Amino acid sequence: LEYLQTSSYFTPGFTWTLTAAASGKTKTYHSENGALDYITEYKSKLPKVASMKPDSIFICSSPVMDVAVDFTTAEGNHLKGFTNGLFNAEGGDHVDSFFRTLQKSLEPYKKKGKDFTLTEIKEGVLGIVNAKLAAPKFSSQVKVKLQDERAAEPFRKLLQVELDKFFKKNKSLAESICVRCAELKNLRSKFLASKQVVMELRKIAKKGFPVKALMAPKCKASERELYLVEGDSAMGGITGVRNAHFQEVFPLKGKIMNAHRATSAKFFLNEEVLNILAMIGFDPKAADPYSNLRVSKLVFMTDADADGFHIS
């Protein structure tokens, strides 16, 4: 049944009829608009999913391939690969060719500094890539993955021309896709960083706070203050004048990093930043990581020069 339903999408206007030998009952499959009907039906099964733009459907039909793709708000990748109408559960060269070409076609529409990868590009893509090849080659006898060089470079050259024309006419769609991909990468980076931060903070908790830190363990969190100073020299000056009951001191290693350019993953996994997070009681596992801090005040003690401005 599924095969006939899918076949109807690849043969628009043609009616398939299945007759049960025992009962004589029949069931017909017919698609007037081909792959467009597939997209409409598939999208209707996904909750709260819509096209990103009114003209977001890309169509490419040639003697060697049929491609129909909608750029949607769906989570995950919903692009299905077929070879001569046969479903390829693991995709293959034809599907890979589409995504690699899509990545290249979107390149001119990216904003400076807003990079993304194929992982983000695949999000929300919904549709069909059907390779039409004589004697196609697969990765195994069960034909779940197409591995045929004819679906690689030749496909990419054809798709490149068509995708470039499509986005030239739909510039706002290309820009919206790029913005979404960049945001997804940023969210994914923060998520991965938070998982690693949990692991690193656990290590700090096990081995104790930094050796160079001056602690105030007996006061209440509402009283405790943490002073961040520039290096060991500044540490020496403040040691003798601090109130040891509620004032803690931690020396930084000069310029920690260029925070303006650093990615969130690199930032949160910096040794000095992790030590600061541990000392203030930051908990990335909590719904609000700042809900149960062990300090009430964070004070930056910096020189009135370029280095001090950089650290603050």
Side-chain angles (χ1 to χ4, degrees), residues 114-284:
K114 300 293 184 180
D115 291 325
F116 45 82
T117 68
L118 277 172
T119 300
E120 291 80 44
I121 288 175
K122 292 178 181 180
E123 288 285 322
V125 175
L126 185 157
I128 289 174
V129 176
N130 181 44
K132 296 184 285 189
L133 301 171
K137 299 175 183 177
F138 299 94
S139 60
S140 65
Q141 289 185 343
V142 290
K143 303 178 181 180
V144 294
K145 185 176 183 179
L146 179 66
Q147 284 189 339
D148 196 309
E149 60 183 15
R150 293 173 295 173
E153 188 63 26
F155 269 36
R156 287 196 290 271
K157 286 182 178 179
L158 176 60
L159 282 168
Q160 193 73 64
V161 173
E162 297 302 318
L163 277 169
D164 287 349
K165 287 195 296 185
F166 175 72
F167 286 129
K168 193 173 182 179
K169 293 179 181 178
N170 298 276
K171 185 179 178 181
S172 63
L173 171 63
E175 292 173 343
S176 295
I177 294 172
C178 290
V179 169
R180 183 177 190 240
C181 288
E183 291 175 348
L184 286 171
K185 185 183 179 186
N186 186 43
L187 289 172
R188 187 172 281 109
S189 178
K190 287 181 178 179
F191 173 72
L192 293 174
S194 68
K195 290 177 69 176
Q196 288 183 281
V197 168
V198 171
M199 295 170 61
E200 295 299 325
L201 289 180
R202 282 176 180 169
K203 293 178 184 178
I204 293 175
K206 285 182 179 180
K207 66 182 181 182
F209 290 107
V211 176
K212 291 185 177 182
L214 299 177
M215 309 300 293
K218 296 183 180 180
C219 69
K220 297 178 182 179
S222 59
E223 299 177 287
R224 189 176 290 114
E225 299 175 355
L226 174 60
Y227 287 78
L228 301 177
V229 300
E230 287 187 70
D232 295 339
S233 58
M235 180 79 163
I238 201 172
T239 299
V241 296
R242 73 162 183 139
N243 186 319
H245 172 66
F246 69 92
Q247 292 179 328
E248 297 186 340
V249 185
F250 178 59
L252 299 173
K253 297 177 182 177
K255 297 180 181 70
I256 298 176
M257 69 166 65
N258 188 327
H260 180 67
R261 295 180 181 175
T263 62
S264 58
K266 183 178 180 182
F267 175 81
F268 280 111
L269 296 177
N270 178 276
E271 181 183 3
E272 294 288 79
V273 173
L274 284 167
N275 284 329
I276 294 171
L277 292 177
M279 293 194 69
I280 68 173
F282 178 86
D283 183 8

Side-chain angles (χ1 to χ4, degrees), residues 11-25:
T11 55
F14 185 85
T15 300
W16 296 76
T17 302
L18 178 65
T19 303
S23 63
K25 290 183 179 180

